[in-house]
Amino acid sequence: MIELTPGAANSIVATTHPTMARSSLAFIPQPVLEIRDTAGNRVSQSSDVVAVAVQGATLTGQTSMQANAGIASFTNIKLSGSASNAVTLSYTIQGTNISTTSAIPLEAGVATQMQLEWTVTNIKTRGEITQSPKLILLDEYGNKVITDQTTTASASLIRQGVVVVSSSTISTAVNGEISLDGLVFIARPDVAYHLRFDSDGLPSVSTSQFVVLPGPVAVSYTHLRAHETGRN
């Protein structure tokens, strides 16, 4: 009986590969490469080292892995940088020109900061803020974290570094955006304040200084009764 054995390494094939990557997070799943001969058989006797490189992002982790029975399994590599659909990974058997490439989209990682998209206009005491403040959740590279549906934020009115009043409204992210709707603050008018927005685990962001305007007239019930009595 003639036993056939695999030939020399001729190609490298990614048998397991992530379909996307999130910035600064380890790939799920991690890449697995198989070394094959000209007939497409796995070269089971191969212990060659397979190295990975990237174009369009920054690659970290253990970027080279020695094959075991012709299989190189990476364990902790990850990409970081600006979100892009033009990132390419290249796998090469070290010491040869045998390689393969794979495109992979790079998406935002986890939120590390908030960006306020809102301009302070005509804030009145006892009056609802009509144009709701909006917070954008960004990762460390400034990518909008559109997958975030859980981060929450609240607002406080600040004067001279002291919290005057905090809103009871807690707003939750939708596709990486937090809209703080229905905010109402009761504060002394004609005095300078700023609004601060807080979220657990993220740095706070604040507006520029503004002056609270007089709000709707609050009619005293006692005064109203006295006025009605005087008419009778």
Side-chain angles (χ1 to χ4, degrees):
M1 183 176 66
I2 299 174
E3 182 178 352
L4 296 177
T5 59
N10 178 262
S11 65
I12 184 170
V13 176
T15 56
T16 300
H17 202 270
T19 57
M20 56 80 68
R22 295 187 64 190
S23 184
S24 300
L25 299 178
F27 289 173
I28 299 176
Q30 288 283 309
V32 177
L33 283 298
E34 192 171 288
I35 299 169
R36 296 181 180 178
D37 64 13
T38 55
N41 303 305
R42 175 167 56 89
V43 184
S44 56
Q45 70 272 23
S46 173
S47 58
D48 290 321
V49 174
V50 176
V52 59
V54 68
Q55 289 182 328
T58 299
L59 178 68
T60 55
Q62 187 173 349
T63 57
S64 61
M65 189 67 60
Q66 186 170 22
N68 179 20
I71 298 174
S73 301
F74 290 86
T75 58
N76 65 349
I77 59 174
K78 56 186 176 182
L79 297 174
S80 56
S82 298
S84 173
N85 288 321
V87 177
T88 302
L89 292 169
S90 300
Y91 301 93
T92 304
I93 300 176
Q94 284 188 350
T96 75
N97 60 0
I98 300 172
S99 64
T100 187
T101 60
S102 180
I104 183 171
L106 178 59
E107 300 182 0
V110 297
T112 60
Q113 56 188 313
M114 299 185 293
Q115 176 179 291
L116 178 62
E117 286 194 356
W118 180 66
T119 301
V120 178
T121 54
N122 299 327
I123 295 182
K124 299 178 180 181
T125 184
R126 300 188 307 278
E128 182 176 329
I129 297 176
T130 54
Q131 185 179 354
S132 300
K134 181 188 293 184
L135 300 169
I136 308 299
L137 300 174
L138 305 174
D139 69 10
E140 62 181 311
Y141 291 92
N143 302 308
K144 181 179 177 181
V145 187
I146 61 174
T147 56
D148 195 314
Q149 312 287 344
T150 59
T151 297
T152 59
S154 60
S156 298
L157 191 65
I158 309 294
R159 181 168 184 262
Q160 296 180 343
V162 177
V163 175
V164 176
V165 61
S166 294
S167 170
S168 59
T169 300
I170 305 295
S171 301
T172 304
V174 177
N175 300 331
E177 297 184 1
I178 302 176
S179 182
L180 292 100
D181 302 323
L183 292 179
V184 178
F185 294 102
I186 299 175
R188 178 183 172 185
D190 302 320
V191 174
Y193 301 89
H194 68 268
L195 280 174
R196 188 185 72 202
F197 302 94
D198 300 295
S199 180
D200 288 344
L202 300 179
S204 300
V205 293
S206 298
T207 66
S208 57
Q209 187 170 277
F210 59 88
V211 173
V212 169
L213 303 175
V217 175
V219 179
S220 167
Y221 178 74
T222 302
H223 175 74
L224 182 61
R225 291 287 296 170
H227 180 67
E228 290 175 346
T229 302
R231 290 179 58 185
N232 292 334

